[in-house]
Structures are given as structure tokens and as C-alpha cells.
């Protein structure tokens, strides 16, 4: 496990749960400039040969403003982490087509999912 205060470089932890369906559990931007998380996601996916994902889901939303917004019923696309997903989509050459949010019943973690088209 990588901890947020770990001195290592920037980290994106993800898995491909189905072909082109990606679950991102952690984004540690460290000292990268703000709004670089989307670029980090796109770069991490490309490094693994995933160039056109159909879905990206952030499975472990711990960013307080985003989590609070989702819990208040605000669409995931209108949150800071929603902007991160929009940035990732743009970097991958895609367009977000639909958004979902929810809470995992097993882990109680909030999530955001975006479907992409190319």
C-alpha cells in the first residue's frame, strides 16, 4: 500500500476489471501542480496499453469536498474529482457520455463513474 505522505513519486493505482473498464482506487499527485490527476490517470493507463477505456470509475473517493458534494446529491461531473475524470477523458481523446455515483455496500466507500466515447 502507498501512503499519501510516502516520499516516492506520483502514483495512480488502478485495475482493469473487464476489458476497457477501469477502476482507479488511488491517486497520489504529491507535489504535482493542481489538476494533474487526470493526466496521471491517462498516462498510467497508456503505460499499460489501455488507450481507449470505455469506463473509468474512482472507487475510493476520500477527497472531502467531492465526497460531501456527492453525499449532498450533486452529480459527480460537477465535483473536483469529476474534473479529474474530465481531464483524463480529454487526455485520452474521449468525451464523457454519462455519469454515475454511489456508495459501495461492502466497503461504504463513495465512487464516481464516467462512461466515455471516442
Amino acid at each position: 500500500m502507498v501512503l499519501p505522505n510516502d516520499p516516492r513519486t506520483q502514483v495512480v493505482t488502478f485495475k482493469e476489471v473487464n476489458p476497457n473498464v477501469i477502476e482507479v482506487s488511488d491517486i497520489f499527485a504529491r507535489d504535482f501542480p493542481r489538476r494533474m490527476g487526470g493526466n496521471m490517470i491517462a498516462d498510467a493507463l497508456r503505460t499499460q496499453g489501455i488507450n481507449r477505456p470505455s469506463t473509468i470509475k474512482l472507487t475510493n473517493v476520500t477527497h472531502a469536498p467531492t465526497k460531501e458534494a456527492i453525499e449532498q446529491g450533486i452529480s459527480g461531473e460537477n465535483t473536483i474529482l469529476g474534473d479529474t475524470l474530465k481531464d483524463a477523458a480529454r487526455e485520452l481523446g474521449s468525451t464523457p457520455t454519462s455519469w454515475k455515483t454511489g456508495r459501495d455496500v461492502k466497503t461504504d466507500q463513495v465512487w464516481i463513474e464516467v462512461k466515455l466515447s471516442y
Side-chain angles (χ1 to χ4, degrees):
M1 178 172 179
V2 179
L3 302 175
N5 61 354
D6 190 322
R8 291 183 277 183
T9 59
Q10 298 73 20
V11 175
V12 173
T13 305
F14 72 91
K15 63 182 175 181
E16 188 172 22
V17 295
N18 288 309
N20 294 312
V21 177
I22 308 304
E23 289 186 352
V24 177
S25 60
D26 297 289
I27 306 168
F28 298 123
R30 312 282 189 240
D31 57 356
F32 260 27
R34 190 167 190 250
R35 299 267 327 234
M36 290 302 293
N39 294 29
M40 290 172 56
I41 291 170
D43 288 345
L45 295 177
R46 283 192 209 108
T47 298
Q48 295 300 311
I50 303 168
N51 297 307
R52 295 173 57 118
S54 61
T55 304
I56 302 175
K57 183 176 184 177
L58 304 181
T59 60
N60 182 25
V61 174
T62 58
H63 180 257
T66 296
K67 188 174 179 180
E68 289 168 12
I70 290 169
E71 289 170 341
Q72 293 171 5
I74 295 171
S75 172
E77 73 180 297
N78 297 319
T79 65
I80 293 170
L81 288 180
D83 288 342
T84 298
L85 288 171
K86 289 177 207 171
D87 292 343
R90 186 172 29 263
E91 284 294 311
L92 292 164
S94 67
T95 303
T97 57
S98 67
W99 295 83
K100 290 183 185 177
T101 59
R103 183 179 296 275
D104 187 292
V105 293
K106 293 180 189 173
T107 64
D108 201 39
Q109 294 173 330
V110 172
W111 52 266
I112 303 173
E113 177 182 283
V114 62
K115 302 274 187 192
L116 304 173
S117 68
Y118 294 87

